[in-house]
């Protein structure tokens, strides 16, 4: 399978490494610094104590003009529309487009630019940390994806894509309600990541301290209320399920948004807690916990974006 991975952060490097190791032809689109790093040595993937060199990844700074079988969109949430415009030359009538962003808006933005054909919705669970221009570490288990057509206009078979991903060691399940799947993921990531940002602590602290544990659950309940007001099919059992996922994380786990906020980098605050606040306002549902996270972190976020 011919694959283009757009974005050379942690997620992009990780998916490029796994797919190339499985024998697929992978082109990684990144910055000039990533291209320069590729000239000096191969992509490396670290799992625990093992470091694996991955050969066969072509690294470029511009999207190749030929359509491919699979496009993996691995940029941050605020870069999706720009990425979609850049990806037009490589998206053909049989191309499947896989977005890996947190939040619930990426697939819709891709559809607006590229059209509905081939665009998936996706909930991705993995902690992939970029450790160098062409180096990535997987912290914990390999990726688990829940995917589904973003719209009724998807129009392509999914079998080859599922086979390619599972053959690369990525767990894949097909959702029968991708909107609910995405909101379930938003419930998890915005709540534990938002409370973690407020407390400046990893999951090992926020999941065991009764005060922050209760706060994470209350934040999830806010997301549930907003989702249900928007007609998304979620219930109390989803809160219970996402709390179990939160409690199962390694003690040193932090969300990518939390790490970016702490490091003074641009983050997905607007697409996580900000989105919960925005959608809640639209449907008249109060979201005081997410509003607190958003308002308290926004000055640092704006400063990081100005510097960037």
């Amino acid at each position: 399978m011919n694959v283009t991975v757009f974005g050379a952060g942690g997620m992009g490097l990780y998916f490029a490494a796994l797919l190339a190791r499985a024998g697929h032809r992978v082109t990684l689109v990144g910055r000039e610094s990533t291209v320069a790093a590729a000239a000096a040595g191969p992509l490396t993937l670290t799992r625990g104590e093992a470091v694996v060199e991955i050969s066969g990844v072509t690294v470029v700074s511009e999207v190749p003009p030929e359509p491919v079988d699979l496009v993996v969109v691995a940029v941050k949430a605020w870069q999706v529309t720009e990425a979609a415009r850049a990806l037009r030359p490589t998206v053909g009538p049989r191309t499947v487009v896989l977005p890996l962003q947190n939040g619930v808006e990426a697939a819709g933005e891709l559809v607006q630019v590229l059209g509905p054909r081939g665009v998936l919705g996706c909930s991705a669970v993995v902690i992939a940390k970029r450790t160098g221009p062409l180096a990535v570490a997987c912290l914990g288990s390999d990726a688990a994806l829940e995917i589904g057509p973003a719209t009724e206009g998807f129009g392509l078979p999914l079998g080859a894509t599922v086979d390619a991903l599972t053959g690369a060691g990525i767990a894949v399940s097909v959702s029968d309600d991708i909107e609910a799947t995405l909101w379930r993921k938003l419930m998890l990531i915005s709540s534990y990541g938002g409370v973690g940002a407020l407390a400046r602590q990893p999951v090992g602290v926020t999941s065991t301290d009764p005060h922050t544990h209760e706060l994470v659950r209350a934040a999830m309940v806010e997301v549930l209320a907003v989702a249900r007001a928007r007609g998304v099919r979620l219930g109390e059992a989803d809160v219970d399920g996402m709390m179990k996922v939160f409690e199962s994380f390694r003690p040193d786990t932090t969300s990518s948004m939390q790490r970016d906020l702490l490091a003074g980098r641009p983050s997905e605050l607007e697409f996580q807690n900000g989105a919960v606040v925005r959608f809640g306002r639209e449907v008249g549902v109060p979201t005081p916990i997410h509003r607190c996270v958003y308002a308290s972190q926004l000055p640092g976020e704006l400063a990081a974006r100005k510097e960037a």
Side-chain angles (χ1 to χ4, degrees):
M1 179 174 279
N2 289 342
V3 182
T4 293
V5 178
F6 192 90
M11 293 291 275
L13 293 174
Y14 172 78
F15 274 79
L18 291 192
L19 288 163
R21 190 185 61 170
H24 300 285
R25 180 183 172 188
V26 176
T27 299
L28 175 65
V29 183
R31 299 182 181 185
E32 292 293 348
S33 58
T34 308
V35 177
L43 191 161
T44 61
L45 171 64
T46 300
R47 283 199 192 94
E49 300 298 322
V51 180
V52 182
E53 292 187 347
I54 310 294
S55 60
V57 177
T58 301
V59 184
V60 297
S61 58
E62 295 185 5
V63 174
E66 301 85 11
V68 296
D69 302 304
L70 174 65
V71 169
V72 179
V73 185
V75 297
K76 292 292 188 178
W78 67 87
Q79 300 168 318
V80 169
T81 296
E82 182 181 356
R85 295 188 183 113
L87 282 165
R88 282 184 178 128
T90 202
V91 175
R94 293 184 296 275
T95 303
V96 173
V97 181
L98 176 69
L100 300 176
Q101 291 69 34
N102 293 312
V104 297
E105 299 168 279
E109 293 179 15
L110 290 169
V111 167
Q112 286 181 356
V113 177
L114 300 173
R117 187 172 180 83
V119 177
L120 290 169
C122 173
S123 168
V125 179
V126 66
I127 301 175
K129 182 179 180 181
R130 182 175 181 265
T131 57
L134 208 61
V136 62
C138 178
L139 308 179
S141 302
D142 274 321
L145 305 183
E146 195 169 354
I147 64 174
T151 69
E152 293 181 354
F154 181 76
L156 293 176
L158 268 177
T161 299
V162 172
D163 289 346
L165 293 168
T166 55
I170 300 163
V172 180
S173 60
V174 178
S175 171
D176 59 2
D177 187 346
I178 195 62
E179 184 180 33
T181 295
L182 294 176
W183 274 89
R184 201 176 293 118
K185 172 69 179 299
L186 179 63
M187 175 189 292
L188 171 68
I189 195 74
S190 66
S191 299
Y192 96 81
V195 172
L198 283 178
R200 301 170 68 87
Q201 297 295 330
V203 165
V205 175
T206 57
S207 66
T208 56
D209 180 273
H211 302 288
T212 48
H213 185 276
E214 180 182 357
L215 196 60
V216 170
R217 184 177 187 90
M220 289 190 184
V221 170
E222 287 184 2
V223 179
L224 172 63
V226 173
R228 294 180 72 172
R230 289 175 59 86
V232 182
R233 292 183 292 178
L234 294 182
E236 291 288 345
D238 294 296
V239 175
D240 295 336
M242 291 302 98
M243 284 298 292
K244 288 179 181 178
V245 173
F246 161 57
E247 293 160 356
S248 72
F249 284 145
R250 283 177 23 167
D252 60 347
T253 298
T254 54
S255 76
S256 58
M257 182 191 75
Q258 181 181 348
R259 294 191 297 273
D260 287 339
L261 287 169
L262 183 62
R265 297 188 294 262
S267 79
E268 293 183 337
L269 178 68
E270 186 64 44
F271 296 87
Q272 294 188 35
N273 305 96
V276 176
V277 173
R278 175 165 28 95
F279 290 137
R281 187 178 297 118
E282 290 174 0
V283 294
V285 173
T287 55
I289 297 171
H290 288 275
R291 186 161 51 85
C292 177
V293 173
Y294 180 66
S296 66
Q297 303 304 308
L298 186 57
E301 174 73 16
L302 293 176
R305 289 186 178 278
K306 183 177 180 180
E307 291 172 5

